[in-house]
Amino acid sequence: MNRIGGIVGYSLTLALLAFTLRLVHLIEVSQTPFFEVPIGDGLSYYRWAVEIASGNWLGDQTFYQAPFYPYFLALLRAFFGESFWVPRLAQIALGAASCGLLAFAGARLISTRVGVLAGASLALYAPAIYYDGLLQKASLGLFFSSALLFFVARVRTRAEPGWILGMGMLLGCFALTRENALILVPWVALWLWLGFGDSSRVRQLRWPGWLLLGISLVLVPVGLRNQAVGGRFLITTSQAGPNFYIGNGPQATGRYVPLVPRRGSPRFERDDARTLAETQLDRPLDPAAVSSFWLGRSLEHIAEHPLDWLRLMNYKAYLFWHANEGVDTDSFEAYREVSKSLDVLALVFHFGWLAPFGLFGLWTTRMRWRELWPVYGILAGLAASVVVFYVLGRYRAPIVPPLLLFSSAGVFALVDAGRRADWRVLATGIVIVGLGAGLAHGPEDRGTDARAITYFALGLGLFERGRYPEAVDALEQTLDWAPDFSEARRLLGRTHQASGDLEESERELRAALERDPHRPDLHSALGATLALRGDADAARAAYERALGLEAGNSVALQGLARLRFEAGQIAEAIPLFERAVAARPDDPDFLSNLAVAHAAAGAYTEAIEVFERALRIDRNHLGAILNRAATLERAGRGEEALSAYQRLLASDAGSQLSPALLDQIASAIARLERVPAP
C-alpha cells in the first residue's frame, strides 16, 4: 500500500509540473495571432466543432476526418461558449494527466524510478507541450496512448471485467482520434488471451470478449451513424484509401503531398479525392468506393514498382526516426520562435534524444520480454501504422509515451553500469545511443522552411478574417524564410489588393511572376489588381494569359466576364460567367454575378433561378438578396419583391446594412407599396 501511495504521490506531483509548464507556454503563445487563428487541420476541426455546437450533432456525410476531436471541441463550446482558452486548458489538463498516468504505468511495468523519470520526461518533453497547446488532436493521441499503458499496467496486475471493458472503450476513442490505433486491437486482445495463466485458454477468451465489447460500445454507434447518413457501415472514417495513396502513390515523398497541388487543406481533400476518382471511373462513387479506388491505385503502383516502394518505405522509416517533427501547417520551429519556455526545453527534450535512448532501453529490457511484450507491441504497432502511410510529427506523437518508458530504462541502465564500472554495458550503450542519435540527426531534405509554411497558413487565416495588416506581416515573414515561395507572394498581392494598396499588390504579383511565369493563378490575380486600378486593357491581357495556361481558370473567366459586362458587352459576358460558374459551381459570388448579367440581358426568369441557387448556398448573401429583389420588381413580380425586401430588413443581414442601402431599400418598399418615400 505504501508503494502504491508513493507512486500516486509522484504521479500527482509530475502532473502539476506538467500543467504549470504547459500553462506558461500557453500564456506566451496567447500574445500572438497563432492563439486565435486556427490553421490547417486545426481550422477544419474548429469549423466542424462550430457546426456541431450550433445544432448539427449528427451531420450529413460519412466521416472523412476522425470525429472524436471536433465533438470534444463542440462539447466544450456548448458548455463554456466560444473561447480559445477553454479547449487549450482542457488539453493541457489532459497532458498533465498523461504524465501522471505514464508515471504510474512505468512504476507498475518496470520500476518506480523508471516510471517517475518517464512521467517527468513527458512533462518536460517540448513537442508534447507544443501539441497540447495547439487546436489539434495530437494532444488527445498522447493522452490515449498514456492511458492505454496505464490500463495495461493495471490489468496485468489483476484482470477484471470492468477494467478490460474500460480499456476497450478507451481503444475505441483512440481509434476515433487516430484511426491507425485500430492496429492495436488484435495485439491487445491476443495479450489478454495469452497473458494470464490462471485458467484454460477457452475460459480466458472472456477477456478479449470484454475488450471487444468495450470497443463496440464506442465504434458501433459511429458505424450506424455513417450508415444512416452515408449508406455505408464504417466504424471510423473513409479516408484510408486517399491517405495510403498519398503515402505510397507515384508522387509520394514520405511526407504529406496533396492529391491536387496547392489544395492541401481538408476543405478540398475529400472533394478532390472523390472528383478525381469519379472522373477516372466515369461514374458516381460513395465514400467507401472512393477509398477503395485510391487503395487499388496504390497497390497497382506498388506491384509495378516494388523496389521503388521498398526504398520509399526505408526512407519513411528514417523520417519516422528523425529528430525533425515534420510539418504540414503548424510547425514546431515557428512556435519555438514565440515561446521562450518551449525553445529552452527543446534544446534537450526532443525526439532526437528520446529515440536513441529508447532504442538502448529496448535492448536493456530484452530479458523481461515476457512481462513487457504488450508494450513492445503497442510501440511497434503505432510506429508501423504511421510508416505505412506517411510521416508527420503529430502522427508519431502517440509512440512517445511507450518510447519514454524504454528511454528511461535505458538512462538508468547506463547510470547503473557507470556505478558498477560495467564497461561492456557502457560501451554497448554508447554504441547504440550514438548510432541512434546519428540517424536521428542525419541529413534530411526539408524543402520549404517549416516556419515559412506555418506563417503562410497564418497569413491566409488572417486574410480570410479581414485582418489585412497582420496578414501582411505574417506573409512578409514567410518570404523572409522562403523568398521563392510564389504562393505566399500571390497571397500577399491579394492582401494588398483587398486592403486597397493596389500599387503594392501589383508589385508583389509581378515579382511572383518573375519567379514563376507559368502560374495561371498569378496572372489572374494580377488581372484583378489591374482591373481595380482601372487599366482594363492590361487586365484583359493578364486574364487571357491565365486562360492560355489554364482554360478553366475560374478567376480569369470571372474577371474577363466582368470587364465585358462593364463595357456593355452583355451577350459576350454571359458565356464567360457561365464557364466560371461551371468551374466553381458552389461559389455564391460567381452565381450572383451570372444572375446579374442575365437580368441585364432581360432574362429575368433565368436570373431569378440563378439568384436562388446562390442563396441556397449562402442564404445571407447580400448581393444575391438585393439583386434578386430588384429583378423580381423589374419582372413585374412586385409582391414577391416587396416580401423579399421586408424579409431582408428583418434578417440578421439586414442589421448590418449601410445607411445608403437602407435608404435604397426604403425607397423600393415605398415604391412597391405605392407610398411616397419619406
Side-chain angles (χ1 to χ4, degrees):
M1 182 62 70
N2 288 339
R3 179 172 177 267
I4 297 298
I7 294 171
V8 171
Y10 287 133
S11 299
L12 292 174
T13 301
L14 292 172
L16 180 61
L17 170 65
F19 186 87
T20 301
L21 291 172
R22 283 153 175 75
L23 183 59
V24 169
H25 167 67
L26 274 190
I27 291 169
E28 290 180 293
V29 174
S30 69
Q31 309 303 310
T32 73
F34 288 120
F35 193 77
E36 56 181 3
V37 181
I39 59 179
D41 279 7
L43 176 59
S44 175
Y45 291 131
Y46 174 76
R47 287 174 169 165
W48 188 359
V50 171
E51 181 182 344
I52 294 168
S54 66
N56 188 16
W57 290 90
L58 184 63
D60 55 7
Q61 298 184 77
T62 302
F63 289 136
Y64 187 78
Q65 289 182 285
F68 190 95
Y69 186 63
Y71 278 87
F72 168 78
L73 292 179
L75 282 171
L76 292 174
R77 188 181 182 91
F79 281 104
F80 300 103
E82 182 175 359
S83 170
F84 288 107
W85 270 103
V86 167
R88 288 182 169 95
L89 288 172
Q91 287 173 195
I92 67 172
L94 290 175
S98 299
C99 300
L101 291 169
L102 183 62
F104 191 94
R108 284 290 191 93
L109 291 167
I110 303 177
S111 70
T112 299
R113 63 178 185 170
V114 164
V116 171
L117 181 58
S121 298
L122 185 57
L124 297 165
Y125 186 62
I129 295 172
Y130 155 70
Y131 290 127
D132 286 343
L134 293 178
L135 283 180
Q136 262 286 6
K137 65 182 181 181
S139 174
L140 294 186
L142 281 162
F143 171 75
F144 286 132
S145 178
S146 300
L148 179 60
L149 293 171
F150 170 82
F151 271 96
V152 168
R154 174 60 179 78
V155 170
R156 193 191 70 163
T157 304
R158 184 175 179 183
E160 294 176 346
W163 281 95
I164 297 175
L165 182 73
M167 183 160 58
M169 295 179 70
L170 176 83
L171 268 173
C173 294
F174 199 172
L176 293 179
T177 303
R178 293 242 64 94
E179 298 95 319
N180 61 315
L182 285 172
I183 199 173
L184 302 179
V185 174
W187 184 260
V188 175
L190 181 66
W191 169 64
L192 290 170
W193 183 41
L194 301 178
F196 304 95
D198 59 346
S199 61
S200 71
R201 293 285 182 240
V202 173
R203 187 178 176 196
Q204 284 180 196
L205 283 172
R206 69 187 188 279
W207 302 131
W210 282 108
L211 180 82
L212 295 176
L213 175 60
I215 294 168
S216 299
L217 289 174
V218 175
L219 297 186
V220 168
V222 174
L224 293 173
R225 178 260 175 209
N226 282 335
Q227 174 80 41
V229 301
R232 286 292 188 103
F233 186 85
L234 300 171
I235 58 173
T236 56
T237 65
S238 62
Q239 65 173 333
N243 276 344
F244 190 76
Y245 183 84
I246 288 168
N248 298 277
Q251 81 299 328
T253 65
R255 299 291 194 196
Y256 175 76
V257 179
L259 294 171
V260 177
R262 299 188 298 277
R263 286 175 63 87
S265 166
R267 286 180 285 176
F268 305 131
E269 189 178 287
R270 180 206 291 257
D271 289 340
D272 288 342
R274 176 182 54 78
T275 300
L276 291 170
E278 290 181 343
T279 299
Q280 290 195 41
L281 296 180
D282 194 26
R283 59 186 173 86
L285 300 172
D286 66 27
V290 171
S291 183
S292 297
F293 168 86
W294 290 108
L295 180 61
R297 289 295 185 271
S298 305
L299 296 176
E300 287 173 10
H301 175 73
I302 291 168
E304 292 169 3
H305 305 89
L307 293 180
D308 290 343
W309 181 72
L310 288 174
R311 281 191 289 268
L312 175 64
M313 290 296 291
N314 183 62
Y315 182 62
K316 287 194 285 185
Y318 173 71
L319 290 179
F320 185 89
W321 192 259
H322 202 275
N324 178 26
E325 281 299 306
V327 60
D328 49 356
T329 47
D330 293 287
S331 73
F332 184 53
E333 293 83 354
Y335 277 77
R336 287 184 67 177
E337 298 271 342
V338 299
S339 172
K340 274 294 179 188
S341 60
L342 186 70
D343 190 43
V344 170
L345 289 171
L347 296 174
V348 177
F349 296 98
H350 59 80
F351 197 84
W353 291 112
L354 164 63
F357 279 100
L359 186 62
F360 179 57
L362 286 166
W363 185 84
T364 62
T365 59
R366 68 194 184 282
M367 302 305 293
R368 298 181 61 181
W369 68 268
R370 288 180 178 83
E371 305 167 57
L372 297 176
W373 70 270
V375 185
Y376 294 152
I378 291 170
L379 179 61
L382 289 173
S385 64
V386 172
V387 171
V388 79
F389 287 91
Y390 53 89
V391 182
L392 294 175
R394 57 190 173 93
Y395 289 2
R396 78 176 176 197
I399 76 147
V400 168
L403 195 56
L404 275 170
L405 293 181
F406 294 112
S407 67
S408 300
V411 168
F412 282 118
L414 285 174
V415 170
D416 292 344
R419 287 174 178 167
R420 299 191 310 266
D422 188 336
W423 300 109
R424 184 180 64 83
V425 173
L426 283 171
T428 303
I430 290 170
V431 169
I432 292 176
V433 172
L435 289 174
L439 281 172
H441 294 87
E444 184 202 4
D445 180 13
R446 298 191 182 189
T448 304
D449 189 291
R451 292 167 297 182
I453 294 170
T454 301
Y455 274 91
F456 170 73
L458 176 63
L460 177 60
L462 291 164
F463 170 79
E464 290 177 343
R465 287 163 176 75
R467 294 164 59 172
Y468 301 129
E470 292 170 277
V472 167
D473 289 343
L475 293 167
E476 286 178 345
Q477 287 189 67
T478 302
L479 293 168
D480 286 342
W481 287 307
D484 294 330
F485 197 161
S486 58
E487 184 70 11
R489 287 203 180 274
R490 182 184 75 87
L491 182 57
L492 183 55
R494 288 184 63 201
T495 305
H496 283 306
Q497 179 194 107
S499 65
D501 192 345
L502 300 178
E503 184 177 346
E504 275 298 304
S505 174
E506 182 178 349
R507 187 181 70 80
E508 291 294 345
L509 291 168
R510 290 195 184 280
L513 281 165
E514 286 178 10
R515 291 178 168 83
D516 198 350
H518 303 297
R519 284 273 300 274
D521 56 331
L522 293 175
H523 287 289
S524 60
L526 177 61
T529 293
L530 292 169
L532 289 170
R533 297 196 74 178
D535 193 342
D537 291 338
R540 186 177 297 108
Y543 287 139
E544 288 172 349
R545 280 193 291 273
L547 292 172
L549 293 166
E550 182 189 1
N553 185 283
S554 60
V555 175
L557 289 166
Q558 181 77 184
L560 202 54
R562 288 177 67 92
L563 288 176
R564 293 190 175 174
F565 181 83
E566 289 164 4
Q569 301 170 347
I570 309 300
E572 293 84 355
I574 287 176
L576 291 169
F577 279 129
E578 288 174 337
R579 286 173 60 193
V581 166
R584 283 168 57 175
D586 295 329
D587 190 313
D589 290 334
F590 280 28
L591 287 163
S592 184
N593 287 338
L594 171 60
V596 168
H598 278 310
Y604 301 132
T605 301
E606 291 87 342
I608 292 165
E609 288 175 355
V610 177
F611 280 131
E612 288 171 354
R613 282 175 58 194
L615 291 170
R616 282 195 292 273
I617 297 168
D618 180 2
R619 61 187 178 86
N620 292 317
H621 193 283
L622 190 57
I625 295 171
L626 284 171
N627 285 308
R628 175 179 174 275
T631 303
L632 286 167
E633 183 179 358
R634 291 167 64 188
R637 296 160 63 175
E639 289 186 8
E640 293 176 71
L642 178 60
S643 176
Y645 283 128
Q646 289 171 338
R647 283 198 305 272
L648 172 60
L649 291 177
S651 69
D652 292 338
S655 64
Q656 301 171 11
L657 293 171
S658 67
L661 279 176
L662 286 171
D663 288 344
Q664 179 183 331
I665 293 169
S667 296
I669 290 174
R671 182 173 59 252
L672 290 165
E673 292 178 333
R674 303 187 184 281
V675 176

